[in-house]
Every structure is written in C-alpha cells, then in structure tokens.
Amino acid sequence: MPEAYEQDYPLQQLQEVTEALNSGQFVHVRRLLAKTAPCDTALLLESSPHKTRSKLWALVDPDVQGDVLEELSEDVRLSIISRMEPEHIAAATEDMDDDDLGEVLRSLPEPVYKDVIEAMDIQDRDRATTALSYQERSAGALMNTDTVTIRPDVSVDVVLRYLRLKGELPEGTDELYVVDKNNCFLGSMPLSSLLTTMPDAIVRDIMDEECESIPITMDESEVAQLFERHNWISAPVVDDQAHLLGRITIDDIVDVIREDAEHSLLSLAGLDDEEDTFAPVFKSTQRRSVWLGVNLLTAMLAAFVASFFETTLGILPFLAVLNGIVPSMGGVAGSQTLTLVIRGLALGHINATNQKFILTKELAIGALNGVLWALLIGSAIALWKWDLTIGLVIAFAMFMNLLAAGIAGAVIPLILKRMNIDPALAGNVVLTTVTDIVGIFAFLGTATWFLI
Amino acid sequence: MPEAYEQDYPLQQLQEVTEALNSGQFVHVRRLLAKTAPCDTALLLESSPHKTRSKLWALVDPDVQGDVLEELSEDVRLSIISRMEPEHIAAATEDMDDDDLGEVLRSLPEPVYKDVIEAMDIQDRDRATTALSYQERSAGALMNTDTVTIRPDVSVDVVLRYLRLKGELPEGTDELYVVDKNNCFLGSMPLSSLLTTMPDAIVRDIMDEECESIPITMDESEVAQLFERHNWISAPVVDDQAHLLGRITIDDIVDVIREDAEHSLLSLAGLDDEEDTFAPVFKSTQRRSVWLGVNLLTAMLAAFVASFFETTLGILPFLAVLNGIVPSMGGVAGSQTLTLVIRGLALGHINATNQKFILTKELAIGALNGVLWALLIGSAIALWKWDLTIGLVIAFAMFMNLLAAGIAGAVIPLILKRMNIDPALAGNVVLTTVTDIVGIFAFLGTATWFLI
C-alpha cells in the first residue's frame, strides 16, 4: 500500500545529504541522490549555498541531470549551467521540453550558446532553433510541440486503437486536438469524453468546438490569467491562420503565476531578479546596490530640501526631533496605495474604465487618513510640548502629506505603466521621494512661517 | 472553426457593460451577461466599484450565480454574499464544489450561517457539515469528494464499460483511484493509461502504486509546494488509516499559490487581507489604519530617541538636515534582506539546516554594503561641508546601520517564524524600528561625542 506523503521528507533528506557531504562521504551522497526524485534534488540544490551546490551537482547522475535542470528555478539553473561544458549542456538538454530548452539556451552567453548548438544532434538543433524563434515571455516560448492530433471524421474506436498502438501519451495530456488535413485547429477531444462515449461515435460530433486556442504571440501573463479564469489544464496554441503549433500545460503556467507574483514582491523591495537566496555575497551586493544607490540620491535630495530650513532648525531644534514623523507616515500610507494599485494592474482589475474611480477612492482614503492621523499627532505633540501652535503645524503637515501619498501612490504606477516602465520596479523610489519632500516642506515650511 | 482568443475581450466586455449600466439599459446588461462565461462575469465584478457591483450582481441570472460565486476571490465574494438572503445563498451554493461551499459558509457571520444551513436540503446540509469539519487552510478544506474509484481486480475493459455507463467524469479528472473493499487507497489509474493499454489488462498490474497520497491534515501551502514540485494535476487525500476521502485539483492549488505569494506582497506593505481593490473608502481606511497606527508609534519612538540630542541639534542644525539619510538607507537595505528571507521561508528554501548560512551571508552583505555606502556618503558630506570629521561621523553611522539592517533583516523573520507570528505581517515594522533607532543613535550619538 503506498504511504501517505511524509511532511518532513525533503527536509530530512537535505539534512542527511548535507551531513554526508560535509563529512566527505561522497559515495553515500551519490547513493542518497540516486534515490531522490528529480524535483526533490532540485529543491536540495535550491536550498544549498553555492559551494555545496557545485559539489552536489557533480554527484548527480548525468542521466537525470536534464530532469533536474528542468525543475530548477531560472537563476539557480544558470548558476549551475555556467560551470558546465558545452557538450554536457547539450547532453543534459536532450530530453528537455521545448519551452525549457528555449529558456536554457536563451540564458547562455553568446559563445557558449554556439558551442552548445554545435554539440547537439540535427534533430535537437532544429528543435532548438524553433524554440528560440518565439519571443521571450510569449505563448510560443511556453509551448511544447508534443501534441497528439486526430482527424474529425474518425470514430472513437479508431482513436482508441490508435492510442493503444501509440502506447503512451505525453505528460500532462488531458485532451487530444482535432485538426483538418492542413493542420488547422478544429476543436479538442478531452480524454474523459473518449472514455465515456460509445466507440461508434464520430469525433466531429463529440469534440469540444468551443475550446479556445491561444495565439502564439500572446503575452505569458495574459495566458496565465486565461488558465486561471477558465481552470484549464492545457490549451492549444495556434498561429494567425489557426494552424495548430503546440500546447501549453498548467505546470508551466504555475511557474508564470508564481514568478509574476514574486516579481512584484521582489521589485517593490528593490530586489530586481534576485531569485537565488543563496547567491554569492559579491553578486548579491552588486545586484542590490542599484536601488540603494538610487535611494541614497533621493535621501540626499530630501536632505538638500531640509537644508533650506537650517536656520529654523537652529532656532527650534525640537523641529528636528519631530522631522521624521510626517515623511515616515507618508511613506507607509503611500506604499499601501502603491502596492494595491500595482497588484490591481497585474491582475487586470484596474484598466482604462475604472482608473478614475481608483484615483478618487485613494484620494478619499488619503483625505480621511489625513484627518485621522493629523488629529492624533497634533494632539499628541501639542500635549507633549504644551504648545497648540506646534500641534497645529504638525497636524497640517500630516494632512497634506497623507493626501499627497494617496495621490502619488495611485498616479505613479498608472503613469509608469503608460510609459512602459515596470511600476513595481521604480514605484517605491519615486513614491518615497514625493512623500519625503512634501513631508519636509509641509512641516518645516509651515513651522518657519508660524513659529519663527 | 473556433476563433483564437481575442486578447482584449474581457476589457471590451467590461466597457460595454459599464456603459450600458450607467445609461440605465438594464435589459441590455442582462442580455450581455447571459452571453458571458461565469469566469468573465467574475472578472467584471472584481473590476467594478461597489455600487456597480451590486447593480451588476442583481442582473446576473440566479441559475449561474453559484458558478460565478465559485470563481470570485474571497473578499469580493463576501461583499456580495453579505447582501444576499439566506435562501438565495443556500440556492446559489447548491452546485458548488465541497471546498468552495466550506469556504463560503466559514466566512458567514454566525446568525446568517445558521439560516443558510436551515434553508438547505438534507443532502447539502450533510455535505456542508462534512466540509466544515476540516480545519481551515488544511488539505481537507481544499478537497472535493467527487472521486471516481475502481477496484484492483477488474480489467480495463470493465472499467471502460463502467465509465461509458457513467457517461461523464467530474471536471479536472485526470486519474481514477484504485481502492480495496474497505475504501483504502491502493494507487492511481491515469486516464491516459486506460486509453493506451489493452482492454484485457488488469488494473492491479497497470495502476500507479507510486502515487503519493496527501494526509487530510496537511497545510495547504505544503500541498501547493508538492503540486508545484511534482507537476500534479490532481492528488488523492487520505485519512491516517489510508482511507480515500477525496481529491485536490490543480485549479484550487493555483489559487493557493497566488494567495500565498500575494499575502507576502500585501502584508509587507501593511495591507493585511485587503484583497478587494474596490472596497469602500471607510472599510479600506479602517483596514489600513492598523499598520499606520503601529508606524506612528515607532516614528514617535524614533523622535523620542532623537530628543536626547536636542541640545546637539540646536548647536549644529546641519546634523538635523542630514539626520534622515542613515535611517533611510538602513530601511531599504534591511527590507531587501527581510523580503528575501520571508520569500525563502515561504518557498521552503530556508530551514534549520541553512539558517546559519543565510545569517552569515546577509551579515557579510551588510558589512560590504556598509563599507561601500559609508565611503560614498562620507566623501560626499565631507566635500559638501568641507569638514573631514562630519564625513567620518556619517560614514561610521552608515556602516553601523547597514550592518544592523543586514542582521535585523535576517534575524527578525526567523525569530517571528519561531514564535509563530507571520513574518510578512510584523516584519517591516519591527525592522524599521531597529534601523531608525540604530541610525539616529549612531549618527547623533557619534556626532555629539566628536563634534560638541
């Protein structure tokens, strides 16, 4: 009887392998890895620091290296491939799906790429050229050509005999595709229908003609949205003359969904494309430095704005003590709005028809937030300093900045999107620049006016 | 011939419906909605402001309301259900999958829930009670009971005849489950194997005995990781005696993956559970106020720390101008580390075996970042003020704060996780409190020591 899945299985495995590796028992590691499924080996590699990773990889059976490469996340896969010989890469990619093959080849530097292509046999070279001819992040790049096609005028019985002759179906096949003699897509034939209809039924009469096909140029995020909305397991891909070119399967879509969602998360934190948690220190530092550099510039800009008020600050140093509060609140409120709008854009919920509504809504929230927190901070500071004027000053600055945060948080991603700049990437930096500068100006400016 | 999918289809639909609704052509809207697939109607509702949403919902054919409810995201579904009569909710949930039924009922307030249960027929009431008996966010709550089971000792031919008699398979069925006479799970029988083996083969000989089953108590995120790693389309769920209870399908897993990834994104921005972009202003303001309130407290704490240095700031107001730079850089660097660690924990990449490595790595990045940005800011400020001492002071503060940011960004989520607090939720607030206070202390403290 098969056992139910052990929850801690990959973790225990990881511990066992790591210990064996550290104590130099390479034969034991090799034996452990031979017992491990490719997807679990991939998890092991992804959860290992770089040095351990190279040692582990060398101990993976060359025959399953291709399977493991397919399961790895892009960044980790690259870190491994970059140290392999072109012939080994060619051998490992032999049994890969078309979409994974294309992804691997696309990520190679020019000279290595040429060597790998040369090391391939003719059949794989053709496959590689086709896979590479589709645009990155398009339906074509997600597609596999392993479709099983049938003609509309045959009976279910004929199809069944054909399938028994074939002996095996490609992984993740839930439907066959019905095409005419020019390979034009006519409809789909779910396996479940084949099993539940009488053998004498004709394919044309029972096929699903409503089945939608995906244009080969469609963007992968849009394809993912379709899969998610329609609960598809696979979908046919066609060119603009409706010729069937291949199919996209849900396992690749799951990766797209995960990547899209993570892209927003990582980008908003200024971590563009840092997929590999275990990347070497220098590489990570270098990657993260871009946004730290941009942030330093904006922080210097804020300091420059504050320097206009140096005299005021010298007379009333208490203002300097309070100067961080208003920008900080603006930053948090603004990034709440920004995150929500970026997510709404990514999900396709925010579009031309309802942009105005979102803007108005976030402006209203900004105003309401403004009143609420202005009252609170104003009272708190007025009581602390026993001075009504300074309470009013900070209350006014707080209101203005939360209003600005609401507007900026909603407008910035919409504008960036229209300019074809990724809103998740640049959004937070532009936003905090706005909330810092408005916050400092509103607080120190009003204070200079009323208190000096 | 079926048309390839039109890329702008749902958007155009949305525009048409919105216009018809605004001009009061309700009959036209009803007709448009009748032509729309439930999943697209769900997208329309999710992309609509609250008022439009209620009007639209009233025009959706009551017979498909259940299908649309199933497709909606949880928050939007709740906003609609909260205005429905118990009898209508009972009617709409009649054809729902068990897992969706459980989710809807769980989200209802106590009195409404009782009324809905009472309005159900006996069969649905039983189904509801079972669905509710499983823990939220467990495999049980994701499970449907619509499995098709077969016995191991029959031939493929018998199975085929049984299926033809049945006439239809539940949506998303890619394999039948083989059970013994006590309903204990023995293995799975993929539809593709049924189609490709000879009719006289016996199920026992060709079934997949390696098929792993999921314990009913497993956490949904863990289930999702298994699906993702193994590229499953569906998986059997069993109790601790290996009795088959139901199955989980990939479409529900896609939702879990999306929700988990979005949860980190939204929580890190202080937007816990704000799923609905179009929630009313008051509701949104209220939900967002929690983290703004917490942030106000930490900003006040930072101000309190700065107030120790009021005398210093009065003598050297230039320090007040520069006081925001060091905490700002610490905040960004820290949240880079924090986000990466939170994501690593969520993906299962970071665990007991490699925590130390991550800590060391982030500490090293913090130190490297510290040296880099300390040199830069130190030189910039020294040149601006033509004063080496102040350059050294801010350089020292920057180094200390970036080191603190690296440690805090890595340690905070690990500690929160061990305390069973969601690291994504509280992480950023705790982090900025650390980087603000260390930043202010390091800068103003060192300045007071050396410059006064």
Side-chain angles (χ1 to χ4, degrees), chain A residues 3 16 55 117 146 195 217 238 260 263 339 371 403 419 424:
Chain A
E3 292 286 306
E16 208 177 336
K55 282 193 221 160
I117 289 278
D146 57 358
L195 286 167
T217 51
V238 297
D260 278 359
H263 173 76
T339 305
V371 172
L403 205 61
M419 290 164 70

Side-chain angles (χ1 to χ4, degrees), chain A residues 134-305:
Chain A
Y134 303 119
Q135 190 149 17
E136 227 182 315
R137 300 187 56 85
S138 74
L142 276 182
M143 177 184 82
N144 283 312
T145 50
D146 57 358
T147 50
V148 180
T149 56
I150 52 176
R151 287 299 174 78
D153 43 11
V154 298
S155 67
V156 167
D157 196 40
V158 172
V159 176
L160 289 179
R161 268 184 289 147
Y162 164 64
L163 293 179
R164 281 178 199 142
L165 213 66
K166 216 171 141 55
E168 208 180 341
L169 291 176
E171 211 190 328
T173 300
D174 67 322
E175 52 188 20
L176 312 182
Y177 298 120
V178 187
V179 292
D180 67 11
K181 63 178 190 301
N182 297 319
N183 198 34
C184 279
F185 176 69
L186 298 175
S188 73
M189 185 75 234
L191 298 191
S192 56
S193 306
L194 279 178
L195 286 167
T196 51
T197 31
M198 289 301 154
D200 54 352
I202 301 298
V203 165
R204 187 191 305 281
D205 303 328
I206 55 168
M207 71 180 186
D208 179 9
E209 285 180 282
E210 302 283 285
C211 173
E212 279 165 294
S213 54
I214 293 177
I216 187 124
T217 51
M218 188 182 257
D219 179 78
E220 61 172 19
S221 302
E222 262 178 276
V223 177
Q225 284 179 19
L226 283 178
F227 265 79
E228 223 183 323
R229 276 219 302 289
H230 295 271
N231 296 338
W232 289 338
I233 290 168
S234 69
V237 180
V238 297
D239 66 13
D240 47 9
Q241 271 107 44
H243 295 113
L244 180 70
L245 298 173
R247 66 183 184 120
I248 294 178
T249 47
I250 182 75
D251 53 310
D252 295 319
I253 293 299
V254 166
D255 293 341
V256 173
I257 290 173
R258 161 87 72 196
E259 275 163 25
D260 278 359
E262 291 207 330
H263 173 76
S264 304
L265 175 72
L266 297 178
S267 300
L268 276 172
L271 288 163
D272 185 36
D273 287 334
E274 175 145 344
E275 269 197 355
D276 183 0
T277 320
F278 299 90
V281 170
F282 274 98
K283 201 172 165 198
S284 289
T285 308
Q286 198 189 335
R287 281 178 165 183
R288 295 188 201 174
S289 62
V290 181
W291 290 109
L292 282 169
V294 175
N295 185 66
L296 185 63
L297 286 180
T298 71
M300 296 279 284
L301 188 63
F304 179 68
V305 170

Side-chain angles (χ1 to χ4, degrees), chain A residues 1-2 4-5 7 10-11 14-15 39-40 43 46-47 49 71 160 163-164 167 169 185-186 191-192 195-197 199 209 211-213 215 218 222 226 228-231 233 242 250-251 254 257-258 261-262 264-266 268-271 274-275 277-279 281-282 284-285 288-289 292-293 295-296 299-300 303 306-307 310 313-314 317-318 320-321 325 328-329 332-333 336-337 339-340 343 347 349-351 353-354 357-358 361-362 364-365 368-369 373 377, chain B residues 1-2 4-5 7 10-11 14-15 39-40 43 46-47 49 71 160 163-164 167-169 185-186 191-192 195-199 209 211-213 215 218 222 226 228-231 233 242 250-251 254 257-258 261-262 264-266 268-271 274-275 277-279 281-282 284-285 288-289 292-293 295-296 299-300 303 306-307 310 313-314 317-318 320-321 325 328-329 332-333 336-337 339-340 343 347 349-351 353-354 357-358 361-362 365 368-369 373 377:
Chain A
M1 192 189 305
Y5 196 87
Q7 313 217 174
L11 183 57
L14 182 63
Q15 237 154 354
C39 56
D40 291 324
L43 184 71
E46 283 171 347
S47 312
E71 303 287 340
L160 289 179
L163 293 179
R164 281 178 199 142
L169 291 176
F185 176 69
L186 298 175
L191 298 191
S192 56
L195 286 167
T196 51
T197 31
E209 285 180 282
C211 173
E212 279 165 294
S213 54
M218 188 182 257
E222 262 178 276
L226 283 178
E228 223 183 323
R229 276 219 302 289
H230 295 271
N231 296 338
I233 290 168
I250 182 75
D251 53 310
V254 166
I257 290 173
R258 161 87 72 196
E262 291 207 330
S264 304
L265 175 72
L266 297 178
L268 276 172
L271 288 163
E274 175 145 344
E275 269 197 355
T277 320
F278 299 90
V281 170
F282 274 98
S284 289
T285 308
R288 295 188 201 174
S289 62
L292 282 169
N295 185 66
L296 185 63
M300 296 279 284
S307 73
E310 207 174 318
L313 290 166
F318 189 65
V321 169
I325 297 175
S328 157
M329 290 294 279
V332 172
Q336 287 181 334
T337 303
T339 305
L340 215 64
R343 172 172 162 279
L347 291 177
H349 288 174
I350 298 180
N351 49 50
T353 60
N354 52 26
F357 176 86
I358 289 292
K361 181 193 159 183
E362 293 299 330
I365 293 180
L368 206 60
N369 264 336
W373 302 108
I377 191 72
Chain B
M1 195 188 302
Y5 197 86
Q7 313 215 175
L11 184 55
L14 182 62
Q15 235 154 358
C39 58
D40 291 324
L43 183 72
E46 284 171 348
S47 312
E71 303 286 341
L160 289 179
L163 293 179
R164 281 181 197 137
E168 206 180 342
L169 291 177
F185 177 71
L186 298 175
L191 297 191
S192 57
L195 287 166
T196 51
T197 30
M198 290 301 152
E209 285 179 283
C211 172
E212 280 160 20
S213 53
M218 188 182 256
E222 262 179 276
L226 283 179
E228 222 183 324
R229 275 217 305 287
H230 295 270
N231 296 338
I233 290 168
I250 182 76
D251 54 310
V254 166
I257 291 173
R258 163 85 72 196
E262 291 206 329
S264 305
L265 175 72
L266 296 178
L268 276 172
L271 286 164
E274 177 145 342
E275 269 197 356
T277 321
F278 298 89
V281 171
F282 275 98
S284 291
T285 308
R288 294 187 201 175
S289 61
L292 282 168
N295 185 65
L296 185 63
M300 296 278 284
S307 74
E310 208 176 316
L313 290 166
F318 188 66
V321 168
I325 296 175
S328 158
M329 289 295 279
V332 172
Q336 287 181 335
T337 303
T339 305
L340 215 66
R343 173 173 160 277
L347 290 178
H349 288 174
I350 298 181
N351 48 52
T353 60
N354 52 26
F357 177 86
I358 289 293
K361 181 193 158 182
E362 293 299 329
I365 294 180
L368 206 60
N369 264 336
W373 301 109
I377 191 72

Side-chain angles (χ1 to χ4, degrees), chain A residues 4-20:
Chain A
Y5 196 87
E6 288 171 47
Q7 313 217 174
D8 295 330
Y9 163 70
L11 183 57
Q12 284 170 1
Q13 186 88 350
L14 182 63
Q15 237 154 354
E16 208 177 336
V17 171
T18 313
E19 277 164 25

Side-chain angles (χ1 to χ4, degrees), chain B residues 373-385 391-392 394-395:
Chain B
W373 301 109
L375 279 175
L376 252 166
I377 191 72
S379 324
I381 299 301
L383 288 172
W384 183 3
K385 282 281 114 177
L392 284 172
I394 199 166

